[in-house]
């Protein structure tokens, strides 16, 4: 014969009783073992064996006493909750017997909640589901709660509502650990982003430097044009944007053996940095060159006439010295 009293299930045996109980109170098992010192746990039936002809009656009386205590505790907590709601004062969360759904009611009455910024708690029926980013310290705190287990599919932890007091006791420490981990991750991400930005800036600066070096020209310091001057370098029309530091021309200079630098060893020189000329700037230079050629041609006509009168060939003009590009 089987009898159920409160949270106890009592099955009569020929020489005793088999007792099963699921009491949330952690002190219930020590209390049961103290009341029944000869009780032994049977792993096969997941029950406690209490020997003796009067075992059923003795366990029934124990279960009745526990059930009566639970009803009285329940009534007391209900009265505390009603009084707090009527009078509008906070409910002390350390009130003995305040557990499970009543604890959640007290939290709501006090304007508190289980969830924090990094720990999200939802309650459905008799289970609480807890979700948070992986953190070793937070996981260790969850494992310390009796009966807590991980749900791989939901990637969340599940805890009995009867253990919400234990859960609430570790939430603050979980939040602290998770907040530190989140802050460290944010700093690392920002540093990584800054490193990428610095790397991109370095690449951009190097590209600009390569572009400048690709369009630089070595000139003697004494013959350098003014900044902003439009000049012809080989077949290109360029604009002088600036000059680098000066140095003495020697055998290590790449353009040392260009014709227009022969014999100039030891002379101060520098690199001129240029850009492509706009169509307007190129047309202005062409007009300037055409005007110059016209003036030079007029000035040379009398000299050519005299040379022709003497039976000599007209002298050829030396072409304009060009500057060599490096």
């Amino acid at each position: 014969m089987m009898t159920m009293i409160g949270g106890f299930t009592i099955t009569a045996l020929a020489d005793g009783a088999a007792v099963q109980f699921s009491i949330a109170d952690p002190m219930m098992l020590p209390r049961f073992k103290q009341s029944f010192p000869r009780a032994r746990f049977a792993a096969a039936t997941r029950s406690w064996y209490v020997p003796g002809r009067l075992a059923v009656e003795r366990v029934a009386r124990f279960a009745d006493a526990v059930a009566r205590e639970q009803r009285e505790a329940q009534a007391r907590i209900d009265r505390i909750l009603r009084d707090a709601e009527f009078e509008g004062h906070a409910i002390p969360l350390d009130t003995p017997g305040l557990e499970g759904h009543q604890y959640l009611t007290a939290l709501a009455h006090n304007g508190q909640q289980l969830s924090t910024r990094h720990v999200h708690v939802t309650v459905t029926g008799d289970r609480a589901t807890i979700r948070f980013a992986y953190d070793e310290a937070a996981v260790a705190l969850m494992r310390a709660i009796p009966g807590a287990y991980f749900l791989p599919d939901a990637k969340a932890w599940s805890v009995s509502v009867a253990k919400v007091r234990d859960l609430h006791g570790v939430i603050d420490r979980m939040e602290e650990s998770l907040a530190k981990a989140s802050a460290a991750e944010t700093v690392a991400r920002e540093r990584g982003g800054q490193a990428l930005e610095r790397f991109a800036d370095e690449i951009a600066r190097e590209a600009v430097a390569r572009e400048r070096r690709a369009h630089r020209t070595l000139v003697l310091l004494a013959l350098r044009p003014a900044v902003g001057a439009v000049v012809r370098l080989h077949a290109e029309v360029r604009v002088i944007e600036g000059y680098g530091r000066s140095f003495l021309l020697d055998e290590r200079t790449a353009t040392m053996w260009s014709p227009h630098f022969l014999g100039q060893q030891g002379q101060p020189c520098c690199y001129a940095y240029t850009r492509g000329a706009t169509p307007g700037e190129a047309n202005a230079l062409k007009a300037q060159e055409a005007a110059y050629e016209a003036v030079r041609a007029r000035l040379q006509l009398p000299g050519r006439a005299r040379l022709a009168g003497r039976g000599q060939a007209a002298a050829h003009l030396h072409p304009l010295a060009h500057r060599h590009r490096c």
Side-chain angles (χ1 to χ4, degrees):
M1 185 178 67
M2 185 172 64
T3 305
M4 297 185 66
I5 303 175
F8 288 81
T9 301
I10 308 168
T11 303
L13 302 175
D15 56 350
V19 184
Q20 294 177 318
F21 56 91
S22 55
I23 303 298
D25 184 0
M27 298 303 296
M28 183 53 60
L29 180 59
R31 181 179 173 183
F32 178 82
K33 293 173 69 175
Q34 183 179 10
S35 299
F36 304 97
R38 296 174 59 194
R40 296 293 181 268
F41 184 73
T45 59
R46 305 294 298 174
S47 61
W48 287 87
Y49 169 67
V50 179
R53 291 185 303 105
L54 301 178
V56 173
E57 290 79 359
R58 291 174 57 208
V59 175
R61 287 195 299 271
F62 178 83
D64 282 334
V66 170
R68 184 172 57 255
E69 292 174 3
Q70 289 178 338
R71 287 193 297 271
E72 292 173 355
Q74 179 78 22
R76 180 175 60 85
I77 295 299
D78 287 341
R79 185 171 58 255
I80 291 174
L81 294 177
R82 286 196 306 270
D83 292 345
E85 184 177 1
F86 179 77
E87 297 174 4
H89 60 71
I91 302 172
L93 296 179
D94 57 354
T95 301
L98 186 62
E99 304 288 348
H101 287 286
Q102 291 177 324
Y103 190 89
L104 293 174
T105 301
L107 277 179
H109 173 80
N110 294 347
Q112 298 174 266
Q113 56 183 0
L114 288 173
S115 296
T116 62
R117 181 180 178 184
H118 298 94
V119 182
H120 183 65
V121 182
T122 56
V123 177
T124 304
D126 291 332
R127 304 298 299 181
T129 303
I130 305 96
R131 290 181 172 84
F132 54 90
Y134 177 78
D135 177 75
E136 187 174 348
V139 169
L141 290 169
M142 282 300 305
R143 285 176 175 165
I145 299 175
Y149 57 85
F150 185 67
L151 303 170
D153 294 339
K155 295 183 178 179
W157 286 80
S158 181
V159 173
S160 170
V161 169
K163 299 298 180 182
V164 290
R165 177 192 288 272
D166 297 326
L167 175 62
H168 192 223
V170 300
I171 283 286
D172 287 343
R173 282 181 287 168
M174 290 176 63
E175 171 63 24
E176 181 181 359
S177 180
L178 288 163
K180 288 180 180 179
S182 177
E185 182 180 353
T186 300
V187 170
R189 186 167 56 249
E190 289 177 351
R191 288 178 178 174
Q194 291 172 356
L196 288 176
E197 289 178 2
R198 287 196 298 270
F199 182 64
D201 290 343
E202 290 176 3
I203 291 176
R205 285 194 296 270
E206 180 60 27
V208 171
R210 283 198 302 269
E211 180 70 14
R212 292 191 72 206
R213 287 193 297 269
H215 296 98
R216 70 180 183 178
T217 296
L218 188 66
V219 297
L220 292 175
L221 209 61
L223 301 178
R224 62 181 182 178
V227 174
V230 183
V231 297
R232 188 177 296 280
L233 299 175
H234 302 292
E236 288 188 73
V237 179
R238 309 288 298 177
V239 179
I240 304 295
E241 284 196 317
Y243 294 98
R245 62 178 182 82
S246 61
F247 57 94
L248 298 180
L249 195 64
D250 59 19
E251 291 79 3
R252 291 174 297 176
T253 307
T255 55
M256 177 62 219
W257 306 112
S258 296
H260 56 290
F261 285 123
L262 290 177
Q264 301 295 334
Q265 294 90 331
Q267 294 297 318
C269 62
C270 65
Y271 283 107
Y273 295 93
T274 68
R275 63 170 173 81
T278 63
E281 291 169 335
N283 292 333
L285 178 63
K286 290 178 181 178
Q288 183 181 357
E289 290 174 339
Y292 174 77
E293 289 295 335
V295 171
R296 189 177 67 165
R298 285 200 307 272
L299 293 176
Q300 290 181 345
L301 282 176
R304 289 189 176 185
R306 285 195 298 272
L307 289 173
R310 296 175 184 174
Q312 298 180 6
H316 293 285
L317 296 175
H318 191 279
L320 291 175
H322 64 279
R323 292 179 175 84
H324 185 75
R325 179 183 303 184
C326 292

